[in-house]
Amino acid sequence: MLAQPAQIIASSFLLAILTGALLLASPWASASKSWTPFIDAVFTATSAVCVTGLTVVDTAEHYSLFGQVVILVLIQLGGLGIMLVASLISLSILGKLSFKSRVIAQTEARAIQGFDVARTARSIVKTTLIIEATVGVLLFLRFLVGYGYEPYRALGHGIFHAVSAFNNAGFALYSTNLMDFVSDPWICLPISAAIILGGLGFPVMLQLKRHLKNSLKWSMNTKLVLAATVVLLLGGTLYITVLEWNNPHTLGSLPPADRILAGFFQSVQTRTAGFNSIDIGQMHSASWLGMDVLMFIGAGPAGTAGGIKVTTFAVLLFIVLTELRGESAVNIFGKRLSRSIHRQAITVALLGVAAVFIGTIILLLATEYSLDRCLFEAVSAFGTVGLSTGITADLPGIGKVVLIALMYLGRVGVLSLGSALALKDRKALYELPKERPAIG
């Protein structure tokens, strides 16, 4: 019975993907009023529901207003969590949540423990709408005043990119994504802020909302997410900016201040957002490799981001440090880490590595692209990031299927696995004798 909520979540995401694919494949969703190949519609729907941002067709040119609205709705559903939305609807209709609904909602937002699910659901939706509305207004004003858009167009672009940013989706209404705004802080910074907030995770945002000025009440999860976010953002900015500083195809042609802005913006995108203000395909291979690591790590748990999560990475790092010091217990911020968390972190990380490895191998066999490009594509899909070196649209059918599977696994599979591990607690009635193999 404990595995049932995870199964319901997985099937709900699948249902949303199939429904979205049918809508996106229809002539109403196409600007040319023609049918879209079903594999491309499934790919786009998966990318939207799994808040990834990888595309095989030009979102701005291929889809009609109806199609773009469908994508926007799928992004919002995928970002908020279908089961969390379902719980809120149940609350509105019935006036209360069933026990089953509570378990499902807690599974979707697995890092929220000890909270009233109904109140938490309302708070999450309210927080989401406030952030999206704030960023949407800022973008609307910039598009209206700075670029002379018509009011309805400025509003539409503001709302779309705000929702896409907060949900870490990376879909844009421009053929070149956000490359035309590489030097515009009034576009790049609000979008970056929305991405960072969405990537913190709802438990962190809710705890900061309640105890912003009292860090003593912050949980280990909140402290780990905040510390890792700052380190990875700054480290990513420095890494990308330094390596691309003199690259004439990316940062090299920009003024110094704009290079720093662009480097920071791309570092933010590796939090699993997927926008790009420079040509990713023209970056150095070393930059791709560093971004692979950042994309694989991702951002905070129980939020709109993907990856194995910064908490998983931090736990693994502290385990290594503890072993190097010869200590017996893993201590983080003055508290001892449960040994069950050690196993969960190792399991999630290794399964993630296995998924990326298998996906990369299949891409290498199915295409003629180099290892660095195939690896980048696989990590981006699994991490639900959406960044690409430019090969996504040219992949054969099997390549698209691989990325679809990785996006689904990255958003749903590891989520369900983490939930199952957190809910499952079986105590063995016996123990086997110990033996130590040689390690290292």
Side-chain angles (χ1 to χ4, degrees):
M1 293 297 294
L2 289 176
Q4 188 179 12
Q7 295 171 356
I8 294 176
I9 291 170
S11 60
S12 298
F13 271 82
L14 183 60
L15 178 61
I17 289 171
L18 293 177
T19 303
L22 292 173
L23 292 173
L24 292 175
S26 69
W28 301 289
S30 170
S32 62
K33 303 302 179 184
S34 59
W35 289 91
T36 298
F38 192 64
I39 183 66
D40 292 343
V42 172
F43 190 100
T44 303
T46 304
S47 185
V49 173
C50 297
V51 290
T52 304
L54 286 173
T55 58
V56 289
V57 296
D58 190 330
T59 305
E61 299 294 334
H62 180 82
Y63 291 108
S64 63
L65 177 61
F66 173 76
Q68 292 171 356
V69 170
V70 169
I71 292 174
L72 188 67
V73 172
L74 294 177
I75 290 172
Q76 190 70 286
L77 283 176
L80 275 175
I82 293 175
M83 289 301 95
L84 206 53
V85 176
S87 298
L88 186 62
I89 294 175
S90 299
L91 177 66
S92 301
I93 295 176
L94 302 177
K96 61 180 180 179
L97 287 176
S98 65
F99 174 76
K100 184 177 181 180
S101 297
R102 290 175 183 271
V103 174
I104 291 173
Q106 287 172 339
T107 303
E108 168 64 11
R110 63 191 182 283
I112 303 176
Q113 299 175 351
F115 284 56
D116 178 77
V117 175
R119 184 180 63 183
T120 302
R122 289 195 298 268
S123 183
I124 288 173
V125 173
K126 180 180 177 181
T127 300
T128 297
L129 295 179
I130 289 175
I131 294 174
E132 290 176 348
T134 302
V135 175
V137 169
L138 293 175
L139 295 178
F140 162 72
L141 294 175
R142 183 56 179 169
F143 286 134
L144 181 69
V145 178
Y147 294 93
Y149 286 12
E150 293 293 329
Y152 72 90
R153 187 187 179 202
L155 180 62
H157 280 235
I159 292 174
F160 187 95
H161 292 96
V163 172
S164 183
F166 179 72
N167 288 286
N168 279 225
F171 279 89
L173 295 179
Y174 302 94
S175 299
T176 57
N177 206 275
L178 297 182
M179 290 176 62
D180 293 339
F181 307 102
V182 63
S183 300
D184 191 343
W186 298 102
I187 296 293
C188 293
L189 292 182
I191 287 178
S192 295
I195 292 168
I196 293 171
L197 289 174
L200 290 178
F202 293 120
V204 174
M205 287 192 289
L206 294 179
Q207 191 164 74
L208 291 178
K209 180 181 177 182
R210 293 166 181 163
H211 307 295
L212 179 61
K213 297 181 179 180
N214 189 356
S215 60
L216 295 177
K217 293 186 177 181
W218 293 357
S219 66
M220 180 190 294
N221 180 75
T222 295
K223 293 177 181 178
L224 280 177
V225 170
L226 291 178
T229 296
V230 172
V231 171
L232 293 176
L233 277 176
L234 294 180
T237 300
L238 182 63
Y239 184 87
I240 294 172
T241 304
V242 169
L243 289 186
E244 297 295 324
W245 187 266
N246 292 318
N247 186 345
H249 303 294
T250 56
L251 302 184
S253 61
L254 301 173
D258 293 344
R259 296 184 199 186
I260 296 174
L261 174 63
F264 169 74
F265 187 77
Q266 286 312 138
S267 176
V268 172
Q269 306 318 307
T270 62
R271 314 299 297 156
T272 79
F275 291 110
N276 64 282
S277 61
I278 58 177
D279 189 347
I280 303 298
Q282 298 295 325
M283 297 179 76
H284 294 303
S285 296
S287 299
W288 291 343
L289 185 59
M291 293 169 71
D292 287 339
V293 175
L294 294 172
M295 292 190 297
F296 185 76
I297 295 173
T304 60
I308 63 170
K309 312 302 183 188
V310 293
T311 46
T312 303
F313 174 75
V315 165
L316 293 175
L317 179 62
F318 276 101
I319 290 175
V320 171
L321 293 176
T322 299
E323 189 65 26
L324 292 176
R325 293 169 180 166
E327 299 173 353
S328 58
V330 178
N331 301 312
I332 304 177
F333 298 124
K335 294 185 179 179
R336 181 170 57 85
L337 192 67
S338 170
R339 291 190 179 276
S340 63
I341 300 298
H342 302 191
R343 299 191 298 271
Q344 292 178 24
I346 293 171
T347 301
V348 169
L350 289 181
L351 286 178
V353 170
V356 170
F357 178 79
I358 294 172
T360 302
I361 290 294
I362 297 176
L363 289 178
L364 285 171
L365 293 174
T367 70
E368 296 182 354
Y369 294 113
S370 60
L371 172 60
D372 51 4
R373 290 182 182 272
C374 290
L375 177 62
F376 191 94
E377 209 78 9
V379 174
S380 181
F382 173 77
T384 67
V385 181
L387 293 174
S388 174
T389 60
I391 68 174
T392 311
D394 298 325
L395 290 175
I398 183 63
K400 294 176 182 178
V401 171
V402 167
L403 294 189
I404 289 172
L406 286 173
M407 287 188 289
Y408 183 77
L409 177 63
R411 179 59 178 165
V412 178
V414 174
L415 170 73
S416 299
L417 173 65
S419 301
L421 289 173
L423 291 173
K424 188 175 181 181
D425 185 17
R426 294 181 180 178
K427 294 183 178 180
L429 300 179
Y430 61 90
E431 289 186 355
L432 297 174
K434 291 183 179 180
E435 186 171 349
R436 296 175 62 89
I439 301 297

